[in-house]
Amino acid sequence: MDLPVSAPTLNTDLDAPALADWRALVNQVLDRSGSLDSAGLDRAFARRLTTTTADGVTLSPLYTHADEAPERATPGSAPFTRGATAAGSVIAGWDVRALHADADASATQAAVLADLEGGATSLWLKLGADAIAISDLPTILEPVLLDLAAVVLEAGDDAIAAAHALEDIWSARGLEPHQVSGNFGFDPLGQAARNGTSPDLIPTVGFAVASAERFAHMRSFVADGLVLHEAGATDAQELAGVIAIGTEYVRALVDAGLSVDLAFAQVEFRLSATADQFATIAKLRAARQLWSRVAEVSGVQQDAVAGAGAMRQHVVTSWSMLSRRDPWVNLLRGTVAAFGAGVGGAQSVTVLPFDAALGLPDSMARRLARNTSALLIEESHVGRVVDPAGGSWFVENLTQEVAEAAWALFTAMEGRGGFTADLASGNLASSLAKSAQERSVRIAHRRDPLTGVSEFPDVHETPLVRKTVSTPAPRGLPRVRYAEGFETLRDRSDGAPEHPRVVLVAIGDVSDYTARATFAKNFYETGGIRAETIAFDLSARAEITATGMACICSSDAVYADQAVAVAQTLTEWGIKHVHLAGPGDELKDALMQSGVSVFVSLGVDVIDVLTTALNELGVAQ
């Protein structure tokens, strides 16, 4: 039997969703008691559903057509927000840049070869007293096809000597200037910021002017934002700083005789990528927009062919976000950061090995680092779409707000005389220190959680050991990792003759105490204090009093009936340091009178509480 065939139709009778309807549903959740007025609902919405970044940018829970930004120029067109080139990374993926700094020339040569054979497409070589010796460059680069692999140098005060050494290698190979590519890596302003010295641009500017037209594919300067990021800079501060550094380099080059277009083409920017993927994407898009504006007011030709106003970005996964504890989590951090860098339009990406915070990476860590980019490019096809975040109401708004915040900081810095003047006055160091301190407070209170460090620590882990490099204490801007505060506690605990312990005294049924006992265990073990749960019972006195610290764990309902009595009993048993998991609420005064000295709850300064706990347990500093 033939059945009648009809074309399917879509139901068009559905009402279009309205923002007011969504907000009304949200308000029902926020005000279950029905006691809040409109102002109270607004405060509850802002407190619970919006986030304010370190740069003062408010992130909303929902973005709609009402937040739509004006349409951006196409990729490869000024202001290059959507990408420096029309094709982005679609054709060949981004440049996978491998970092090398091992002073052992033979080991570095082998590592360089392994990286290039494994998919790296350019080399970033750190030279100096604690890294690769300039005299070892010929040995390290001996197996490298220098007309195929770009070389980027970072030699600090020896930058000119390193550049001449690289030129000598090219000459010995018979390579013509147009056959080589990379960057000589001059960054006198960044070096001055790290070393606490006064910058001298004259030697590097002179070299750059003499070589700019000869080496068509070599750049001379790097405006390095890592020195700012690692000292505590927010995204806007990092962008403002590198734009100011780049501007100062361009001014010096133009004053020395280069055309403005050629001067802009001599500067590459090095920026950080963190595990906050959307912040990274927005930062890179904003950075290109800012540099294009500087180029525009400087008179640079802004077309896609000349491209001098298009920022060249080398993005490095953040060293500051790496942890020495549970370093395997760094693989996840690095992958998310590399994803953000690729989506954000970086031309070159360096994924730091997961063990980079421990010392010199081993071969497996290097392989995983380069394979991170390989997987993103070849298997996840992240580069197949140009500016995939473009058009997102959230990303477009975040890009614009970060750009505006950074531009305000940059113009203020220019008004004070530029980067060099801000560095010399101490204003730069002061503002970065303030940002670093604010981040440290958020981390200590676990508002910025660190997986494997401040959340879900493995207190029984066997720490990885890597070959360390002796580096002098910073004389200028510091290098700070986010996890250092908690790692100090863990190191202190591990160094004790016996691991410090706390007994979690459980009262009530399992369903009563499990949630808070789990919370307390995680809390103490972030500082290396091992936690054992023991049900409160008179017969368990010996086990409970085996250490001098106990934490009572249960629900509020059980606390109301038993917490004060249990605290008194523990005190009578001779336990000197009685804690309670939870805020205590209206029982707080009675609990304190019964011997409770610390309330382990959300929002407390975990590092401060655990530092005091280790002191009380007699653990040496």
Side-chain angles (χ1 to χ4, degrees), residues 79-208:
F80 306 105
T81 308
R82 303 202 62 199
T85 61
S89 300
V90 170
I91 297 174
W94 52 81
D95 167 32
V96 179
R97 185 166 294 175
L99 171 63
H100 293 271
D102 191 348
D104 185 330
S106 60
T108 299
Q109 185 197 70
V112 162
L113 195 57
D115 275 342
L116 293 173
E117 290 176 341
T121 51
S122 67
L123 301 173
W124 172 17
L125 306 179
K126 286 193 176 184
L127 310 170
D130 301 309
I132 299 168
I134 294 176
S135 59
D136 287 332
L137 267 181
T139 300
I140 290 166
L141 296 178
E142 188 274 328
V144 178
L145 300 177
L146 295 176
D147 54 340
L148 298 179
V151 175
V152 176
L153 302 178
E154 182 181 340
D157 295 334
D158 298 322
I160 299 294
H164 283 307
L166 186 57
E167 283 186 303
D168 290 342
I169 294 171
W170 292 332
S171 179
R173 301 271 189 97
L175 294 172
E176 297 296 329
H178 70 273
Q179 293 179 285
V180 297
S181 59
N183 198 310
F184 290 117
F186 302 154
D187 186 26
L189 295 180
Q191 286 298 314
R194 279 207 190 281
N195 298 333
T197 56
S198 297
D200 180 8
L201 274 63
I202 294 175
T204 52
V205 167
F207 184 101

Side-chain angles (χ1 to χ4, degrees), residues 231-591:
T234 65
D235 289 340
Q237 287 175 323
E238 182 183 352
L239 292 186
V242 295
I243 296 298
I245 291 172
T247 300
E248 221 163 301
Y249 289 153
V250 166
R251 285 196 185 111
L253 291 167
V254 172
D255 290 345
L258 282 188
S259 68
V260 65
D261 280 43
L262 196 51
F264 269 79
Q266 289 299 299
V267 183
E268 181 178 35
F269 290 80
R270 187 174 291 143
L271 298 166
S272 65
T274 69
D276 187 336
Q277 63 181 14
F278 288 112
T280 295
I281 293 166
K283 179 170 73 173
L284 300 185
R285 299 172 90 247
R288 291 191 294 271
Q289 181 178 326
L290 294 171
W291 189 238
S292 177
R293 176 58 180 157
V294 173
E296 179 186 1
V297 298
S298 301
V300 170
Q301 187 178 352
Q302 290 277 60
D303 59 62
V305 178
M311 174 185 278
R312 173 80 190 185
Q313 294 178 335
H314 170 207
V315 178
V316 184
T317 59
S318 169
W319 175 84
S320 292
M321 73 177 178
L322 300 182
S323 62
R324 291 192 292 109
R325 293 292 178 161
D326 205 352
W328 309 103
V329 181
N330 294 331
L331 291 167
L332 304 179
R333 297 184 180 109
T335 300
V336 175
F339 173 84
V343 171
Q347 288 100 330
S348 301
V349 177
T350 297
V351 177
L352 294 183
F354 77 91
D355 54 358
L358 295 164
L360 290 173
D362 68 2
S363 59
M364 183 188 71
R366 302 194 63 83
R367 179 182 178 185
L368 290 171
R370 63 178 181 263
N371 281 353
T372 299
S373 280
L375 288 168
L376 291 170
I377 295 169
E378 302 293 343
E379 297 192 25
S380 300
H381 302 299
V382 171
R384 289 298 178 91
V385 179
V386 180
D387 190 30
S392 159
W393 298 318
F394 169 49
V395 174
E396 294 290 6
N397 276 273
L398 182 56
T399 297
Q400 192 59 34
E401 292 192 66
V402 170
E404 290 173 1
W407 187 258
L409 294 174
F410 164 66
T411 53
M413 188 180 294
E414 286 290 286
R416 294 189 294 267
F419 184 87
T420 298
D422 231 34
L423 181 64
S425 69
N427 186 74
L428 178 66
S430 176
S431 62
L432 296 183
K434 180 180 178 183
S435 296
Q437 176 60 27
E438 290 172 351
R439 179 182 287 110
S440 295
V441 169
R442 295 195 302 273
I443 291 171
H445 288 261
R446 298 200 294 186
R447 292 195 290 269
D448 288 356
L450 304 175
T451 302
V453 179
S454 66
E455 301 285 347
F456 314 113
D458 179 8
V459 77
H460 299 289
E461 74 171 312
T462 301
L464 287 182
V465 177
R466 293 291 184 263
K467 178 182 177 182
T468 58
V469 179
S470 59
T471 54
R475 291 172 291 164
L477 296 180
R479 296 185 77 207
V480 179
R481 284 185 304 103
Y482 305 153
E484 287 179 359
F486 284 98
E487 288 172 351
T488 298
L489 295 175
R490 293 285 297 276
D491 291 345
R492 185 177 170 189
S493 294
D494 287 353
E498 293 185 9
H499 275 95
R501 293 176 55 251
V502 60
V503 173
L504 306 181
V505 180
I507 56 177
D509 296 330
V510 173
S511 59
D512 294 320
Y513 64 73
T514 296
R516 279 191 169 135
T518 301
F519 174 86
K521 177 179 176 65
N522 183 75
F523 183 99
Y524 287 106
E525 292 190 346
T526 62
I529 301 174
R530 298 185 180 183
E532 179 185 4
T533 302
I534 299 176
F536 178 74
D537 188 273
L538 296 180
S539 63
R541 175 174 179 173
E543 293 178 89
I544 293 174
T545 57
T547 179
M549 184 171 290
C551 180
I552 303 169
C553 300
S554 196
S555 64
D556 288 342
V558 173
Y559 283 164
D561 292 334
Q562 303 181 43
V564 172
V566 170
Q568 289 175 337
T569 300
L570 295 176
T571 302
E572 291 168 0
W573 285 355
I575 297 178
K576 297 180 180 179
H577 310 292
V578 179
H579 300 176
L580 181 133
D585 295 329
E586 57 271 2
L587 292 174
K588 202 163 193 175
D589 290 341
L591 287 166

